[in-house]
Amino acid sequence: MELTMRPSDIRWWFWPLTLLFMVAALTGWTPGYYVVIGISAVQVLFFLVQEKSLSAWPTQVRIVYFAFTLFGLWPVVRIFMIGLLAIGTFMVTFFGRCVISLGLKPMPWNRGREARIY
């Protein structure tokens, strides 16, 4: 796997910022998780405005990601969700690999479309 970072792309910066607050949440700073939810909501709005479509690939990825962060509001699964999302966010930040994107690829509404996260 090759290191793939895009610091010149403003859209890439959402991921390391999210990862920073996830790590803070995992180390015990509970407000960090709520900041992650906020950043995720901003990403949905940002990509919705930029792509002008809910069905655009980057928007779909952010919607699913945001839904997962909201699922983590349930205290029983919060640590599990933060950990899972932190691993995925690390992968997309440093290697450009996104499990959510791979999961969306076989969906009927995405057949024949190129998967992209940025």
Side-chain angles (χ1 to χ4, degrees):
M1 215 176 312
E2 187 177 314
L3 191 64
T4 308
M5 297 187 322
R6 298 179 182 190
S8 61
D9 187 347
I10 189 75
R11 298 168 297 176
W12 175 81
W13 283 98
F14 282 114
W15 296 122
L17 185 62
T18 303
L19 186 59
L20 175 72
F21 284 102
M22 279 189 174
V23 169
L26 284 169
T27 59
W29 190 59
T30 306
Y33 187 71
Y34 298 104
V35 174
V36 168
I37 292 171
I39 294 169
S40 299
V42 168
Q43 278 199 75
V44 170
L45 295 174
F46 178 87
F47 280 89
L48 185 58
V49 168
Q50 187 176 30
E51 300 288 334
K52 298 175 182 63
S53 172
L54 280 173
S55 66
W57 202 284
T59 309
Q60 288 181 51
V61 170
R62 273 49 177 213
I63 290 168
V64 172
Y65 192 92
F66 179 59
F68 284 158
T69 63
L70 291 178
F71 185 63
L73 287 172
W74 186 22
V76 175
V77 297
R78 180 171 298 151
I79 294 298
F80 174 74
M81 286 307 296
I82 294 173
L84 195 62
L85 286 170
I87 292 167
T89 305
F90 178 85
M91 292 301 294
V92 77
T93 301
F94 295 106
F95 298 105
R97 303 280 189 234
C98 179
V99 173
I100 294 172
S101 184
L102 291 174
L104 288 169
K105 190 173 185 170
M107 296 297 154
W109 58 87
N110 287 329
R111 293 210 174 114
R113 295 172 63 180
E114 180 185 342
R116 62 187 179 90
I117 53 174
Y118 295 107

